[in-house]
């Protein structure tokens, strides 16, 4: 409760810098490859999103890793739409992905669509069939599953496994020609039904889907499976290091098998890293899409969403997100990162960059009874306490002011130094004011404070007569600008079992009073609302006549190193 604490503008508790993850095991592997000239002097990475939703903060980790790795080695990084699944993909997502990657500060060397390789992939499948390494199977999905075996038991071979090459070629051609319904037949790699790795037990590599594809339209009714398509995509593009998340570790033998059977020279190397998990955050695109479809949130760019679009609208900066991704580093084991670290990075970035404004979120009227009725003074305020270069502005002061309701207590608790009857307080950038009378309505609610000011104590006058312990901010009532402020809590809160559940109170909307200069705020402008937190003028809802602000992050940090 102590005033001094409330006044803290930066998070002293986390002042010590986190050491940047020094040991990036992926870079060590690349160093070795360069030493042994596995790919000559080349380093070529890619970021391969599936355009079935908006990118989220987890993708940001992958984007930063792939692009900065290419930068570090003077290599290249492709943006590739992994759009081999026709059903869930959409051009809206394609557009958003490009905007998000650019906004994060990266520029791809090439932009590719995996679906442009469908012809090549089909050829590759035919090649495998001709080598006797793939066969058309009539088992349905359930039967295939039943044949697959378990971790401790080998699988059973499909009765269709020994079809001749000619038969397989003819059937695969018929699959392509649309002769069969979805699920009626699949193409499977012929590997080893007793492999200890279940992914190697004759995995499905092509399936039938009579669906219109966002890029290839109705040209195809068979589509390659991820495990078959991905290594081919990488190889076609000359990728050297194919970085993906840990759940694909068990798929690596299949990745290597595909390229080996196709005799691909200089086959890319798949390297897995731990995906980002954040407290109070759900990142599955499927779940995020459901939140949008069910109108739980406004849209994909709702400021509460962990999407890049949401974080951008919320006011997070690309610099802060990149800093966060660097600090968390890359590991080979899954872990949970505190969302407060991300918030800390945002604060650190904004601290010296944005101007301060006075805003009263929960107003209480103050009448300065000894201040002339028709007088207004322009008070000089610094724009950023930590960065003098940001200069000063002037703020009007007159007889009627707004202060925060919780800067007053009729019966003060111990160590409360702000307004209470008889106490003198510094009004930041103006004067010392003493609270004399409390005006209440019929129900006993405090509606007004009557104070007197001491002209001697004007800010900047060098007054040293006496000290006061409390400093509060204020807004001139006559010139105050009404704004709407949206404050956020986490969208997800853990229940007793630690499982994330929707927080029913993740947004609070307030009508607030701001100093008149807030009128100049353009959509996307960020400020520190003095003593309150960082805010951004909403890019969708803010207009010239009425400003709507989103809380970016509060001032105090709960992040512990
Ligand atoms: P989701 O499960 O949210 O749908 P995804 O992995 O299916 O995510 P993709 O579009 O396939 O989404 O992902 C593109 C790239 O981003 C992949 O290389 C993937 O490994 C990476 N990626 C996705 N989520 C994370 C995460 N939480 N942390 C790190 N990288 C991620
Ligand atoms: Mg995926």
């Amino acid at each position: 409760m102590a005033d001094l604490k409330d006044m803290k503008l930066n998070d002293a508790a986390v002042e010590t810098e986190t050491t940047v993850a020094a040991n990036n095991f992926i870079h060590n592997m690349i160093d070795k490859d360069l030493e042994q000239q596995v790919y000559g002097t080349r380093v070529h990475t890619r970021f391969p999103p599936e355009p079935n939703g908006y990118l989220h903060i987890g993708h940001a980790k992958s984007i930063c890793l792939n692009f900065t790795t290419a930068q570090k080695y003077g290599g290249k990084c492709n943006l590739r739409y992994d759009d081999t699944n026709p059903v869930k993909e959409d051009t809206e997502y394609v557009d958003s992905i490009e905007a998000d990657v650019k906004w994060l500060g990266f520029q791809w060397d090439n932009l590719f669509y995996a679906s442009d390789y469908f012809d090549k992939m089909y050829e590759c499948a035919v090649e495998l069939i001709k080598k006797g390494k793939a066969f058309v199977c009539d088992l349905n999905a359930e039967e295939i599953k039943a044949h697959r075996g378990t971790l401790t038991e080998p699988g059973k071979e499909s009765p269709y496994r020994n079809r001749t090459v000619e038969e397989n070629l003819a059937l695969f051609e018929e699959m392509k020609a649309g002769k069969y319904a979805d699920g009626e037949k699949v193409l499977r790699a012929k590997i080893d039904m007793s492999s200890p790795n279940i992914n190697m037990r004759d995995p499905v590599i092509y399936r039938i889907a009579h669906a219109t594809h966002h890029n290839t339209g109705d040209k195809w009714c068979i589509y390659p499976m991820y495990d078959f398509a991905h290594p081919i995509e990488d190889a076609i593009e000359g990728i050297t290091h194919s970085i993906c998340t840990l759940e694909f570790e068990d798929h690596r033998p299949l990745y290597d098998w595909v390229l080996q059977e196709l005799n691909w020279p200089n086959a890319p190397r798949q390297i897995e890293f731990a995906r980002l998990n954040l407290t109070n955050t759900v990142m599955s695109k499927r779940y995020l899409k459901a939140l949008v479809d069910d109108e739980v949130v406004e849209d994909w760019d709702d400021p509460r969403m962990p999407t890049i679009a949401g974080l951008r609208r919320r006011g997070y900066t690309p610099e802060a997100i990149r800093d966060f991704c660097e600090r968390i580093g890359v590991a080979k084991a899954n872990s949970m990162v505190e969302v407060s670290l991300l918030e800390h990075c945002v604060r650190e970035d904004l601290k010296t960059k944005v101007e301060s404004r006075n805003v009263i979120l929960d107003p209480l009227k103050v009448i300065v009874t000894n201040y002339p009725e028709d007088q207004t003074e322009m008070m000089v305020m610094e724009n950023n306490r930590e960065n003098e270069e940001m200069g000063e502005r002037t703020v009007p002061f007159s007889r009627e002011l707004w202060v925060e309701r919780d800067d007053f207590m009729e019966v003060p608790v111990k160590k409360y130094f702000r307004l209470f009857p008889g106490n003198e307080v510094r009004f930041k950038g103006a004067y010392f004011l003493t609270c004399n009378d409390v005006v209440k309505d019929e129900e006993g609610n405090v509606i007004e404070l009557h104070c007197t000011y001491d002209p001697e104590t004007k800010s900047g006058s060098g007054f040293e007569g006496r000290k006061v312990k409390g400093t509060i901010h204020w807004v001139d009532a006559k010139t105050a600008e009404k704004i709407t402020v949206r404050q956020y809590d986490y969208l997800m809160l853990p229940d007793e079992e630690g499982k994330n559940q929707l927080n029913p109170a993740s947004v609070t909307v307030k009508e607030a009073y701001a100093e008149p200069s807030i009128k100049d705020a353009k959509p996307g402008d960020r400020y520190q609302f003095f003593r309150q937190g960082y805010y951004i003028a909403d890019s969708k809802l803010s207009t010239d006549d009425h400003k709507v602000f989103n809380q970016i992050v509060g001032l105090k940090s709960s992040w512990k190193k």
Side-chain angles (χ1 to χ4, degrees):
M1 265 283 179
D3 271 9
L4 282 173
K5 250 187 213 152
D6 292 358
M7 288 288 296
K8 280 243 169 82
L9 288 180
N10 55 353
D11 17 336
V14 290
E15 213 66 87
T16 35
E17 286 293 309
T18 335
T19 42
V20 170
N23 202 2
N24 183 331
F25 77 95
I26 294 177
H27 293 169
N28 294 344
M29 289 174 87
I30 295 176
D31 288 337
K32 232 188 213 155
D33 283 347
L34 286 171
E35 224 176 85
Q36 298 172 359
Q37 298 261 308
V38 179
Y39 305 100
T41 54
R42 284 192 325 114
V43 173
H44 201 153
T45 58
R46 86 288 173 260
F47 173 64
E50 187 180 351
N52 61 350
Y54 279 60
L55 299 181
H56 52 62
I57 181 75
H59 293 114
K61 177 174 176 177
S62 175
I63 292 168
C64 289
L65 178 58
N66 278 295
F67 280 94
T68 59
T69 296
Q71 281 165 6
K72 177 180 153 106
Y73 292 99
K76 289 184 173 162
C77 183
N78 293 353
L79 173 61
R80 180 205 309 147
Y81 295 110
D82 205 342
D83 57 350
T84 54
N85 179 356
V87 185
K88 293 178 287 177
E89 298 164 359
D90 203 302
T91 43
E92 176 196 349
Y93 302 137
V94 169
D95 297 340
S96 75
I97 288 168
E98 275 162 58
D100 289 349
V101 173
K102 277 192 188 154
W103 179 76
L104 278 174
F106 299 108
Q107 181 57 53
W108 46 89
D109 291 284
N110 306 289
L111 175 71
F112 291 126
Y113 288 81
S115 55
D116 285 339
Y117 312 143
F118 280 162
D119 284 301
K120 179 70 188 168
M121 290 172 188
Y122 180 78
E123 277 172 37
C124 289
V126 169
E127 195 179 327
L128 289 186
I129 295 173
K130 286 182 178 163
K131 280 183 78 177
K133 297 287 183 176
F135 66 98
V136 173
C137 182
D138 296 4
L139 296 182
N140 63 31
E142 245 164 67
E143 290 163 334
I144 290 178
K145 207 170 159 198
H147 277 67
R148 198 161 51 203
T150 64
L151 284 174
T152 49
E153 283 167 64
K156 276 205 311 254
E157 292 187 353
S158 160
Y160 305 97
R161 197 173 199 263
N162 297 316
R163 279 176 163 157
T164 63
V165 169
E166 289 67 35
E167 200 181 347
N168 282 320
L169 283 173
L171 288 169
F172 191 48
E173 180 68 38
E174 285 177 359
M175 281 170 63
K176 180 185 172 224
K179 192 166 172 193
Y180 305 108
D182 292 5
E184 213 178 317
K185 286 186 169 30
V186 291
L187 184 72
R188 296 176 69 176
K190 195 191 276 190
I191 311 180
D192 179 5
M193 287 309 289
S194 59
S195 168
N197 183 338
I198 294 182
N199 295 304
M200 300 298 274
R201 295 183 188 169
D202 293 2
V204 174
I205 58 175
Y206 255 95
R207 69 196 167 103
I208 300 169
H210 291 271
T212 304
H213 187 279
H214 78 96
N215 183 27
T216 56
D218 292 320
K219 179 176 175 194
W220 296 90
C221 65
I222 54 170
Y223 291 93
M225 302 300 286
Y226 178 90
D227 282 339
F228 177 67
H230 208 85
I232 296 174
E233 295 162 22
D234 285 341
I236 289 174
E237 293 177 17
I239 299 304
T240 56
H241 298 86
S242 174
I243 303 170
C244 66
T245 44
L246 222 48
E247 44 321 342
F248 292 100
E249 194 168 20
D250 291 345
H251 298 240
R252 191 182 343 128
L254 181 51
Y255 183 101
D256 293 340
W257 181 91
V258 169
L259 294 177
Q260 200 180 329
E261 291 302 331
L262 294 170
N263 293 315
W264 219 294
N266 263 343
R269 180 195 299 289
Q270 175 181 304
I271 307 173
E272 309 86 14
F273 73 101
R275 65 170 45 233
L276 171 67
N277 298 305
L278 266 185
T279 55
N280 298 86
T281 311
V282 175
M283 281 182 229
S284 130
K285 274 188 272 187
R286 214 172 51 145
Y287 184 82
L288 297 178
K289 184 170 189 311
L291 292 180
V292 175
D293 291 344
D294 298 349
E295 296 178 15
V296 174
V297 294
E298 280 173 39
D299 206 338
W300 284 96
D301 67 354
D302 186 299
R304 293 165 293 176
M305 290 280 269
T307 51
I308 306 292
L311 298 174
R312 173 168 60 231
R313 192 168 159 206
R314 175 77 176 260
Y316 282 31
T317 57
E319 292 84 354
I321 295 173
R322 291 201 304 263
D323 177 31
F324 170 73
C325 290
E326 198 169 313
R327 287 182 197 225
I328 56 178
V330 208
K332 193 79 199 176
N334 281 317
S335 66
M336 185 64 78
V337 176
E338 293 284 333
V339 69
S340 54
L341 173 60
L342 175 59
E343 294 162 357
H344 172 69
C345 292
V346 175
R347 253 182 238 111
E348 283 291 299
D349 184 43
L350 295 180
K351 196 163 71 177
T352 55
K353 275 192 188 167
V354 301
E355 292 188 6
S356 174
R357 292 289 180 270
N358 291 330
V359 175
I360 301 295
L361 297 172
D362 186 11
L364 175 62
K365 181 67 80 64
V366 164
I367 311 282
V368 191
T369 51
N370 62 338
Y371 196 86
E373 289 237 14
D374 44 14
Q375 183 174 312
T376 295
E377 275 174 275
M378 295 309 285
M379 300 299 186
V380 178
M381 303 246 176
E382 58 204 343
N383 280 328
N384 186 312
R385 283 174 33 137
E386 313 209 15
N387 182 1
E388 253 181 47
E389 283 173 18
M390 298 212 69
E392 294 170 337
R393 68 188 187 286
T394 55
V395 176
F397 177 93
S398 70
R399 194 169 186 269
E400 291 192 18
L401 308 169
W402 294 113
V403 298
E404 287 293 342
R405 197 161 272 278
D406 71 1
D407 281 336
F408 169 76
M409 273 187 113
E410 191 166 15
V411 183
V413 293
K414 222 177 146 194
K415 291 202 174 160
Y416 188 84
F417 302 121
R418 290 169 276 167
L419 291 167
F420 56 85
N423 194 38
E424 188 175 46
V425 172
R426 181 197 309 270
F427 276 45
K428 168 87 178 158
Y431 296 101
F432 291 6
L433 274 80
T434 304
C435 175
N436 303 309
D437 293 306
V438 179
V439 182
K440 295 181 182 177
D441 64 11
E442 284 160 10
E443 277 137 39
N445 303 310
V446 176
I447 51 168
E448 219 169 80
L449 304 178
H450 287 179
C451 300
T452 45
Y453 85 114
D454 177 354
E456 299 279 299
T457 61
K458 185 166 181 178
S459 173
S461 69
F463 175 77
E464 284 184 16
R466 59 189 182 277
K467 296 235 178 309
V468 291
K469 277 191 169 158
T471 300
I472 66 170
H473 70 291
W474 49 274
V475 164
D476 173 51
K478 205 160 46 189
T479 54
E481 185 74 8
K482 261 196 175 169
I483 62 171
T484 299
V485 166
R486 304 196 295 180
Q487 293 181 305
Y488 298 107
D489 191 1
Y490 297 118
L491 185 58
M492 310 299 302
L493 292 176
D495 59 18
E496 286 124 45
E497 286 156 22
K499 237 185 128 223
N500 272 321
Q501 303 291 351
L502 266 181
N503 174 3
S506 51
V507 58
T508 311
V509 179
K510 287 181 176 162
E511 300 306 317
Y513 290 115
E515 61 175 83
S517 68
I518 208 83
K519 281 204 277 280
D520 300 332
K522 287 179 289 299
D525 281 354
R526 298 179 180 87
Y527 299 96
Q528 184 191 87
F529 288 177
F530 189 61
R531 296 174 71 217
Q532 314 275 20
Y534 293 97
Y535 286 80
I536 185 169
D538 189 82
S539 51
K540 276 189 169 168
L541 304 175
S542 215
T543 65
D544 282 350
D545 298 333
H546 187 77
K547 311 286 178 195
V548 178
F549 282 87
N550 299 324
Q551 180 192 43
I552 305 170
V553 66
L555 290 180
K556 275 186 248 168
S557 173
S558 60
W559 181 66
K560 304 252 159 32
K561 206 184 156 185

